[in-house]
Amino acid sequence: MGTQNPASPQEAAGTDSGVHISPRGANQAGTDSGDLIESIRKQPIEATFAQLDVGPGGLSTEEAAARQGRFGKNLIESGKKRSPVLAFLSNFTHLMAILLWAAGIIAFVAGLPELGCAVWLVNIINGVFSFWQEFRASQATEALKKMLPAYTNVIRDGQEQKVLAEDLVPGDIMLLAEGDKISADARVIASSDLQVNQSTLNGESNPSRKTSDAVLEEGLSAAEIPNLVFAGTSVSEGNGRAVVVRIGMDTEFGKIASLTQNMEEAESPLQRDLDRLTKQVTIFAMCMGLAFFALSMFVVHEPFAQSFIFALGMVVAFIPEGLLPTVTLSLAMAVQRMSKRNALVKKLNSVEALGSTSVICTDKTGTLTQNEMTVNHLWTATREYEITGVGYAPNGSIEAQGTTYRAVDDPDLELLLEGGLLCGNARLHAPEEEGKRYEVYGDPTEACLIVSAQKGGIDPEELEQRMPRVKELPFESRRKRMTTVHSLEDPIDGACRIAFVKGAPNEVVRLAEKIRVNGRVEPMTEELRERIMAANDGYAADGLRVLAVAYRPLDAAAAREGVPAAMSAYTPENIECHLTFVGLEVMMDPPRPEVAAAVAECRRAGIRIVMITGDYGLTAASIARRIGIVEGNDLSVISGFELSQMSDEELKRKLTGQVVFARMAPEQKLRVVTALQEMGEIVAVTGDGVNDAPALKKADIGVAMGVAGTDVAKEAADMILTDDNFASIVAAIEEGRAVYSNIRKFLLYILNSNAPEAVPNAVYLLSGGAVPLPLTTMQILTIDLGTDMLPALGLGTEPPESTIMDQPPRDPNERLLNRRVLVKAFLWYGLMGSVAAMIGYFLVNILAGWVPGAPLAGLGNDADPVYIQATTMTLAGIVFAQIGQVMNCRSEKTSVFKIGLFANRQIMIGIVFEVALIVFLTIFPPLQGVFHTAPLAWQDYVFLCCIPPIVIAIEEARKAWLRHRDARRAGGGA
């Protein structure tokens, strides 16, 4: 935008209409941008011209240039972008990365340069991998700009001109035609069946009809005001003119851009957990380092410098260097699995956030429903019909009381279907490729009337040839109906010309004097009116949309009633009267067939669903009940206007119960999400339009639609559904829960090797040095970054346990590393590994001739072959114990034999790798010196092969006891 100037066009012209136009929403004369819109929509056109200081001939070129100098260009301003360099560096500066940098420095200080380099290399590889996985900078603003047209047609100097959209100024008169994208917020001053697709603002696919009349009704959101059009929307039908009121960032479109740009990037639950875990690990490692320093100084009586270096080595040993790359790679693999379930995840940490989700805020159209209006009932005075089949494909039939009807079987049904089809302007285009959807041109409500006629056996093209249209009286919101006039080959009621009227049932019934009953025309009675309206009210109560169809024969009798001879003189006043009522067409956007089961699964999993839609409350509530989001009668339906009058405290009270939000503005959806987050909920938000972008960015997990979604929504979201299906969200949540469960599994697995890594050092210290150090620091690194890595990654691929969606969402305050994990890792699994390792160490000494009381190999001589073989055996003992432990970590209570001992291929590959690595380190001379290893004897391998089955058997006994205890408790509870 250009520079701001406090002068308004009116002031420059020396006029004052009470409310002044204000650049970028600046407050002038006590009014702001919102007050300006409220004022202009209620005024007649002449007052709007006066207020904007413009006439029907538009602005002059000079005045347009002057106004651009005051108001700036009609542009969406770019927010401050994050530098790619900073984005790259952020992967090396979070807490866990800092801890690894510090660990590397400590290793260098301790005289272990190989260890320091290895730790740093792990950090670098992980940072580069994370950056590569998430390298998609936020492009929401750029996507917004692409949605605005480059040129627009205006009236300037009294003539039609094409100007750059960015050169529009307040007061410009835009010419709107079918297919045009609208470049600014404007007041409609002329309309001929003008219909605008506002899905970018309200998320609803049904076009909004626009009028040039003043609108006095209160409680309307911006998108609901019928005499205003908005930047970023498009003309779906008709044409008109509109005078520009707001441009650039002051438009509704610009406000959404501003909300999106100013949104803070929220930390994911997993990132918070990992930061907390890093602090825990740091404190634990430092404490262990201090403990070992004290033992070295005061028990072994090592010199201060040697004790300090030894303690530093232990600090490094207790830092799980493999945790960060393991988490990153596990999340990346989860992303690949989720893509096979129609969910594309843009940010790795978003995977686990899904598993923590406690509330899903979902829109209705296209996500819960099919976004294909479908006529499902027909009503005539004779009978009520049901129509099978959903969507725009003409597959289905018309049935009543077990009988299938064609249009030709019932004259009233035939006329109802013909009138509904002919009295509309929509067109359907059949898909050219198998599996694609029908394309709708025009109003989806009218398109479904074509399909209902086809299901009755009517050929639209043949009908239009038989009854060609000769005149149209377009729909007007004031009349709530439209009329088309047709010539007839075969007379109806003796007339060769007929007017079909379609509209709101109460308006059509009010104008009807007759009714069709079994092919005969009978007088309309009060009893019949009450029957029609009772049927209408019943459908409406179910959230269905109802249209009435009537007709009027334009014959000699109509001429005597005042119908002009010339069609050019036809008006709503002289045509839409003395009508003959035919029937009702009842329609809805049907729920997706798989959504009800997905909603039930969410209920079972303790996940609440809150519908936030741009549709009407009654329709939204009906869909919510149909698919199970709402149970019982305890439901609050809150409109956008009602929400605007509500305090945050009252909103939070409403959010504790069953609630549906209807006719929501973008900032209101954002407000609902914020309130839920302040209540401690982990919120997932679905959306497809520009209007959803702020809420998608604010949510803990933003979910955009891949088929119907705009680029803006996709860029703002964390995840994209490739099938636009709510059920795919539930599948993704299941994967997310599995990811968290698996992260805890491999955290348990990685940590349980810390105890057997520490115990040999503790034995060395507590023995006063009588037991030479059974495990070197480089051998510890071999476990953390070598043998543990692949099996840990295999744990990350474990499928969800069968009961995972029967549990409530994870408490956001629950620690990834809690007391249960620590006890299990160090005092149970770790104890088993420690015993196996130390038995292996002493076994080598015993086989070499050692007897209790004699000095152990290696005292005073680190190069003693027996001592080197003994440390190798300690290392191998820990690794083989970990083979058993990785199997134990695969489930909490379920037997590993039930889930399949060899079912996880990745774990089996990891086991083969770690065994091969140990063998390679012991037989490859160049590495023997680096890792302090030596070849093992066959007796050693016999011992090592016994460790995994023993470890598994001990844990299987514990799990069996737990299952027996749970069964006994469940039986007692029953």
Side-chain angles (χ1 to χ4, degrees), residues 534-556:
N536 172 68
D537 293 344
Y539 293 132
D542 288 336
L544 303 175
R545 191 166 298 172
V546 186
L547 288 176
V549 176
Y551 71 95
R552 184 183 185 186
L554 301 180
D555 52 10

Side-chain angles (χ1 to χ4, degrees), residues 172-398:
D172 262 326
I173 296 176
M174 295 189 296
L175 301 176
L176 306 176
E178 184 173 337
D180 285 353
K181 287 186 176 181
I182 298 171
S183 313
D185 290 359
R187 163 72 155 86
V188 178
I189 58 173
S191 169
S192 176
D193 193 26
L194 181 62
Q195 299 181 45
V196 176
N197 184 335
Q198 298 186 152
S199 58
T200 53
L201 293 180
N202 61 15
E204 294 301 311
S205 58
N206 288 334
S208 300
R209 295 183 183 270
K210 297 298 179 179
T211 177
S212 58
D213 299 334
V215 177
L216 302 178
E217 184 180 350
E218 299 293 342
L220 298 177
S221 66
E224 291 178 295
I225 300 173
N227 62 2
L228 295 179
V229 294
F230 301 95
T233 62
S234 59
V235 180
S236 58
E237 194 170 320
N239 55 74
R241 295 187 179 195
V243 59
V244 174
V245 178
R246 301 185 299 195
I247 62 171
M249 295 300 287
D250 203 29
T251 62
E252 291 297 310
F253 207 65
K255 290 175 184 176
I256 294 172
S258 180
L259 285 172
T260 305
Q261 291 166 7
N262 296 329
M263 200 66 59
E264 291 291 330
E265 196 74 43
E267 220 178 18
S268 74
L270 179 61
Q271 189 58 56
R272 292 193 292 268
D273 262 348
L274 288 177
D275 286 348
R276 197 158 45 202
L277 176 62
T278 301
K279 294 172 185 175
Q280 291 174 312
V281 167
T282 302
I283 293 170
F284 179 73
M286 295 301 294
C287 289
M288 293 303 295
L290 287 172
F292 278 98
F293 174 76
L295 288 171
S296 181
M297 280 283 293
F298 303 113
V299 177
V300 185
H301 303 292
E302 294 279 8
F304 175 85
Q306 192 169 340
S307 298
F308 181 69
I309 290 173
F310 178 73
L312 290 181
M314 292 311 301
V315 169
V316 176
F318 275 97
I319 294 173
E321 295 87 358
L323 177 61
L324 191 57
T326 303
V327 170
T328 302
L329 290 172
S330 178
L331 290 173
M333 287 189 291
V335 167
Q336 293 177 358
R337 289 198 309 275
M338 291 170 76
S339 68
K340 297 176 182 177
R341 302 184 75 173
N342 302 311
L344 300 179
V345 179
K346 293 167 56 181
K347 299 179 181 178
L348 293 182
N349 286 340
S350 303
V351 175
E352 189 279 327
L354 272 167
S356 307
T357 298
S358 57
V359 176
I360 301 175
C361 291
T362 178
D363 54 0
K364 175 183 69 68
T365 305
T367 307
L368 300 174
T369 65
Q370 301 189 39
N371 196 18
E372 292 188 335
M373 291 298 292
T374 303
V375 176
N376 53 14
H377 288 84
L378 299 171
W379 189 96
T380 66
T382 307
R383 62 180 61 88
E384 180 182 20
Y385 303 88
E386 290 186 5
I387 303 184
T388 62
V390 296
Y392 296 122
N395 302 322
S397 60
I398 301 175

Side-chain angles (χ1 to χ4, degrees), residues 62-241:
E62 294 77 15
E63 177 62 16
R67 292 190 184 194
Q68 188 171 104
R70 289 195 294 271
F71 302 143
K73 285 188 173 287
N74 179 34
L75 295 174
I76 300 296
E77 296 176 349
S78 298
K80 188 176 180 181
K81 292 184 179 179
R82 189 186 188 194
S83 162
V85 175
L86 291 178
F88 179 75
L89 293 177
S90 68
N91 289 284
F92 303 97
T93 54
H94 53 79
L95 274 178
M96 182 60 84
I98 291 172
L99 179 60
L100 292 183
W101 292 125
I105 293 171
I106 291 171
F108 278 105
V109 172
L112 300 167
E114 302 95 340
L115 177 60
C117 290
V119 172
W120 283 359
L121 185 61
V122 167
N123 215 9
I124 292 169
I125 293 172
N126 182 76
V128 171
F129 182 77
S130 297
F131 175 74
W132 181 254
Q133 285 286 321
E134 297 182 359
F135 184 64
R136 284 191 72 177
S138 178
Q139 295 293 312
T141 302
E142 295 303 316
L144 280 167
K145 289 179 180 177
K146 291 175 185 175
M147 293 190 67
L148 294 176
Y151 290 91
T152 192
N153 293 317
V154 300
I155 299 291
R156 283 188 184 173
D157 299 318
Q159 297 180 345
E160 181 178 337
Q161 299 181 25
K162 180 179 281 190
V163 300
L164 285 170
E166 65 182 47
D167 290 335
L168 281 177
V169 295
D172 262 326
I173 296 176
M174 295 189 296
L175 301 176
L176 306 176
E178 184 173 337
D180 285 353
K181 287 186 176 181
I182 298 171
S183 313
D185 290 359
R187 163 72 155 86
V188 178
I189 58 173
S191 169
S192 176
D193 193 26
L194 181 62
Q195 299 181 45
V196 176
N197 184 335
Q198 298 186 152
S199 58
T200 53
L201 293 180
N202 61 15
E204 294 301 311
S205 58
N206 288 334
S208 300
R209 295 183 183 270
K210 297 298 179 179
T211 177
S212 58
D213 299 334
V215 177
L216 302 178
E217 184 180 350
E218 299 293 342
L220 298 177
S221 66
E224 291 178 295
I225 300 173
N227 62 2
L228 295 179
V229 294
F230 301 95
T233 62
S234 59
V235 180
S236 58
E237 194 170 320
N239 55 74
R241 295 187 179 195

